[in-house]
Amino acid sequence: METYLVTGGVGFIGSHLSEALIKKGHDVVVLDNFNPFYDPAIKEKNFQELQSHAKRLGRKLSLVRGDVRNAADVALALNDKSIAGVYHLAAMAGVRPSIENPALYWDVNCSGTA
């Protein structure tokens, strides 16, 4: 099977996608910055559950704690030359905070995507 990179892969949506990929028999590389907007303890729990699924199904799961805006972090996540595709879900969430700090949201959500 193939390997996929999931940015934001232990957040709410990302962890569900990562789990689905693992259950379909794929290996997964997760890139996540564990931003405190979404409780890092929940992300840790999500990763532990993903590890359990991967181990039970004989799939590989790796985690890069990093930021999509950091080229070195992205390069590390892409280090596995067999990556078949990228699901880019990393983003700053929340409408109200984006109004309070639009520069940060632009930087993460737009520059981070680029």
Side-chain angles (χ1 to χ4, degrees):
M1 282 292 180
E2 298 172 313
T3 301
Y4 291 94
L5 168 61
V6 181
T7 68
V10 291
F12 179 73
I13 296 171
S15 64
H16 286 87
L17 174 60
S18 296
E19 180 182 357
L21 290 167
I22 290 166
K23 285 182 175 179
K24 287 188 178 228
H26 299 292
D27 296 332
V28 174
V29 177
V30 168
L31 172 60
D32 204 294
N33 71 356
F34 287 75
N35 181 286
F37 186 83
Y38 185 78
D39 187 354
I42 294 172
K43 287 187 172 192
E44 294 288 352
K45 181 177 180 272
N46 290 346
F47 184 70
Q48 296 302 319
E49 290 175 3
L50 290 172
Q51 280 185 315
S52 176
H53 291 304
K55 184 176 181 180
R56 182 174 42 82
L57 297 171
R59 304 312 320 155
K60 288 192 266 180
L61 172 69
S62 59
L63 172 65
V64 175
R65 291 176 190 264
D67 194 307
V68 294
R69 298 170 294 169
N70 183 314
D73 292 343
V74 174
L76 183 60
L78 291 169
N79 196 33
D80 184 339
K81 303 296 187 253
S82 66
I83 289 181
V86 176
Y87 290 94
H88 176 48
L89 302 176
M92 290 295 296
V95 174
R96 286 190 181 109
S98 73
I99 294 167
E100 295 166 9
N101 195 348
L104 172 63
Y105 278 68
W106 177 268
D107 189 36
V108 173
N109 298 351
C110 297
S111 299
T113 297

